[in-house]
Amino acid sequence: MSQNESSPLKSSSSSLQVFSMMSLSPSLGSSYPWLKELKSEERGLYLIHLLLTCANHVATGSLENANIALEQISELASPDGDTMQRIAAYFTEALADRILKTWPGLHKAINSTRVVDLVSEQALVRRLFFEVFPFLKAAFLLVNQAIIEAMEGEKVVHVIDLDAAEPMQWIALIRGLSARPEGPPHLRITGIHVRKEVLDHMGHRLSEEAEKLDIPFQFNPVVGELEDLDVERLHVKTGEAVAISSVLRLHSLLASDDEPLRKKLPLALKNSNGIHLQRALQMSQNTLGELLEKDTVDGYSPSPDSASSSPLSSPVSPKVDTFLTALRGLLPKLVVITEQDSNHNGSTLMERLLESLHSYAALFDCLESTVSRASSDRLKLEKMLFGNEIKNIISCEGAERKERHEKLEKWIQRLDSAGFCNVPLSYYGMLQAKTLLQGYNCNGYKMKGENGCVMICWQDRPMFSVSAWRCRNSL
């Protein structure tokens, strides 16, 4: 949020008390002229109040009241406004989509003529994300350096990319391996992706680079979804030193049909949406900026373990556990995992809304600080990437909810249970990544080590984690 929009409120607490006592009544009509008179900070606080109120109505099935809240939010939210207005616009869309799913026929009819090439759209926004933010570039530096160090002295190296979408990562690795004092190894890269043309493009780019540097190289494309992967298709051969890289991919394997479990939740957990709302209406921060930066919403602080109390948030997940065990069976010399460091896999709507509100506020704030509001690339990123992720987190349940980002602590538990142990990332790799972040001429990008892993941050908030692993001695 820009400086001219973050002046302190004289009494934000009293303002919110007034907001919380206002009746969201149909009698207010479709026009709310007094909303337009709110100052930026007051508007931001009221938007948060309305989002939480609306989410609580949605969670409890009070759809008429949810509709009234959405009407007021629509008067204030805007996809091209300030940070809070933009965030509210996408959370509003997600809540509305969740309401529409109450009537499956209506939801299907409204979306029946929507033609979207999701894979092409994802490729476009991922490229934009790579170009606009330094997060993935820093992660690629850390991943490649870990692989180069682990493969020292190896003559045949096989790298398996679980989401082969970005050839630049492996072009940099090829260049790094070509500079080895002992000479480059024979390199084989296996790429997994749902689209053959993406893999064809990557194979062409990498083969071209390897030929220029005179490195023996082979590309093995595997077309298909990661959750359907048969490890036999990876064609791991005896004598190969195997490295596996997963960038923002493993969390999707956490998706499962949790509806049967949801019906068995204790009453106290089912009612926790209302408890979160009551806490969220006790705000006492001086400014909206402080509210978002301090990770506090009226007495409710999202914490790394906040989702652990829920039976649906347990690190146990048969699908991902089976997958990690299958990877362990390949006896890789190194596995490097990059994931968004957030709690978006809570069991209740309110829990996910509060957690995602904070994490996406940091991403939107990052854009606000570095990219013009009028930038078309910024609008595409916010709508096609962040907006779609928010919609999936808020609107979807069961196997349809793919964006189940979790904190590093959960991944450590899973990998340890699957028979892996942590390999501390090297100082040299961290130094390269830190230098890259500093080159963005923005003080907000930071990096810190944590238990041998690396957290890439915006301000003091961890945004992405990078961790390296090897097999323990025995299966």
Side-chain angles (χ1 to χ4, degrees):
M1 188 166 294
S2 58
Q3 291 181 350
N4 62 348
E5 292 175 341
S6 58
S7 58
L9 290 175
K10 292 183 179 179
S11 180
S12 62
S13 179
S14 61
S15 297
L16 276 174
Q17 289 172 6
V18 171
F19 294 154
S20 65
M21 291 186 292
M22 289 177 180
S23 171
L24 298 179
S25 167
S27 63
L28 289 173
S30 60
S31 179
Y32 307 91
W34 60 271
L35 292 177
K36 302 297 184 182
E37 298 175 5
L38 292 174
K39 295 178 182 177
S40 176
E41 294 78 19
E42 292 173 327
R43 181 178 62 226
L45 289 169
Y46 192 42
L47 276 170
I48 292 172
H49 161 71
L50 287 171
L51 285 171
L52 293 169
T53 301
C54 181
N56 191 61
H57 287 317
V58 172
T60 57
S62 181
L63 301 186
E64 183 177 349
N65 286 330
N67 178 65
I68 297 166
L70 286 173
E71 189 177 3
Q72 284 203 22
I73 296 171
S74 298
E75 293 285 325
L76 298 175
S78 170
D80 55 4
D82 64 28
T83 304
M84 194 61 227
Q85 287 178 302
R86 289 171 179 251
I87 294 169
Y90 295 109
F91 275 92
T92 302
E93 185 178 16
L95 288 166
D97 191 66
R98 188 179 177 102
I99 292 173
L100 280 176
K101 287 182 178 180
T102 308
W103 298 279
L106 179 62
H107 186 265
K108 288 179 182 178
I110 288 175
N111 291 281
S112 62
T113 59
R114 184 170 180 261
V115 180
V116 176
D117 187 342
L118 289 177
V119 178
S120 294
E121 183 178 284
Q122 289 170 0
L124 170 63
V125 295
R126 178 154 180 166
R127 165 52 53 178
L128 286 175
F129 186 82
F130 179 79
E131 292 173 352
V132 172
F133 294 99
F135 299 122
L136 284 184
K137 294 186 184 75
F140 289 167
L141 277 172
L142 290 163
V143 171
N144 286 357
Q145 185 60 33
I147 291 174
I148 289 171
E149 292 173 5
M151 298 302 164
E152 185 177 352
E154 296 289 350
K155 298 186 182 303
V156 182
V157 174
H158 185 179
V159 177
I160 300 171
D161 184 353
L162 300 185
D163 185 30
E166 183 48 69
M168 287 305 299
Q169 176 181 7
W170 305 126
I171 287 175
L173 178 69
I174 290 170
R175 292 171 181 172
L177 290 173
S178 73
R180 292 198 320 181
E182 69 269 33
H186 184 286
L187 177 63
R188 191 151 72 98
I189 293 180
T190 292
I192 303 165
H193 201 276
V194 294
R195 295 194 78 157
K196 181 179 182 298
E197 56 266 37
V198 172
L199 294 172
D200 288 343
H201 173 69
M202 175 173 278
H204 175 73
R205 291 284 308 277
L206 299 186
S207 298
E208 204 173 48
E209 187 68 24
E211 187 176 355
K212 279 195 297 184
L213 296 172
D214 197 25
I215 294 179
F217 176 75
Q218 181 184 1
F219 184 72
N220 175 37
V222 176
V223 180
E225 293 283 358
L226 189 62
E227 49 263 41
D228 301 324
L229 177 67
D230 178 359
V231 294
E232 295 296 325
R233 297 180 66 194
L234 302 177
H235 301 304
V236 173
K237 301 175 183 177
T238 303
E240 291 181 333
V242 177
I244 300 173
S245 170
S246 174
V247 178
L248 309 182
R249 197 67 185 88
L250 282 184
H251 67 268
S252 66
L253 296 180
L254 296 172
S256 61
D257 190 356
D258 52 14
E259 195 58 35
L261 283 175
R262 185 172 302 279
K263 292 177 181 177
K264 297 178 182 179
L265 289 179
L267 183 62
L269 183 56
K270 290 180 180 179
N271 291 338
S272 63
N273 292 312
I275 295 171
H276 289 329
L277 177 64
Q278 291 170 11
R279 290 174 176 173
L281 294 180
Q282 299 166 358
M283 292 185 186
S284 58
Q285 299 298 328
N286 290 327
T287 70
L288 178 61
E290 289 178 0
L291 171 71
L292 298 177
E293 289 170 11
K294 291 183 179 179
D295 285 344
T296 269
V297 181
D298 297 345
Y300 175 80
S301 280
S303 66
D305 301 318
S306 63
S308 62
S309 61
S310 162
L312 294 181
S313 301
S314 166
V316 177
S317 175
K319 186 182 292 185
V320 74
D321 293 344
T322 300
F323 185 79
L324 290 175
T325 300
L327 294 186
R328 172 73 172 83
L330 299 175
L331 299 178
K333 194 166 186 181
L334 189 72
V335 177
V336 195
I337 295 172
T338 303
E339 278 292 336
Q340 186 168 330
D341 196 63
S342 305
N343 280 329
H344 295 157
N345 198 20
S347 62
T348 68
L349 171 61
M350 286 299 292
E351 186 179 5
R352 297 203 302 273
L353 184 134
L354 286 165
E355 296 287 350
S356 56
L357 186 61
H358 281 86
S359 57
Y360 284 99
L363 286 168
F364 275 70
D365 181 57
C366 179
L367 283 173
E368 180 76 359
S369 301
T370 56
V371 184
S372 164
R373 287 184 183 177
S375 166
S376 61
D377 285 348
R378 175 177 174 176
L379 291 170
K380 288 175 185 174
L381 268 174
E382 290 176 342
K383 181 174 179 59
M384 297 165 65
L385 181 59
F386 302 151
N388 284 343
E389 288 182 354
I390 290 168
K391 183 181 287 186
N392 188 264
I393 292 165
I394 301 300
S395 172
C396 299
E397 295 293 349
E400 189 184 9
R401 180 159 60 87
K402 300 288 188 182
E403 302 300 340
R404 294 174 177 251
H405 312 118
E406 292 193 341
K407 302 291 284 186
L408 175 62
E409 290 86 349
K410 295 286 184 69
W411 292 110
I412 289 175
Q413 292 177 50
R414 287 193 180 91
L415 286 151
D416 180 71
S417 297
F420 293 94
C421 59
N422 181 250
V423 177
L425 292 166
S426 72
Y427 173 78
Y428 183 63
M430 293 177 64
L431 184 63
Q432 290 183 81
K434 190 172 183 179
T435 301
L436 181 141
L437 294 177
Q438 291 172 341
Y440 267 70
N441 196 28
C442 178
N443 294 328
Y445 294 118
K446 299 178 182 178
M447 196 179 70
K448 64 179 180 180
E450 186 174 302
N451 299 320
C453 310
V454 168
M455 311 297 287
I456 307 171
C457 309
W458 171 251
Q459 302 299 350
D460 294 321
R461 183 182 181 90
M463 302 302 295
F464 296 88
S465 66
V466 182
S467 58
W469 304 84
R470 63 174 176 81
C471 299
R472 283 201 291 268
N473 291 332
S474 59
L475 283 169

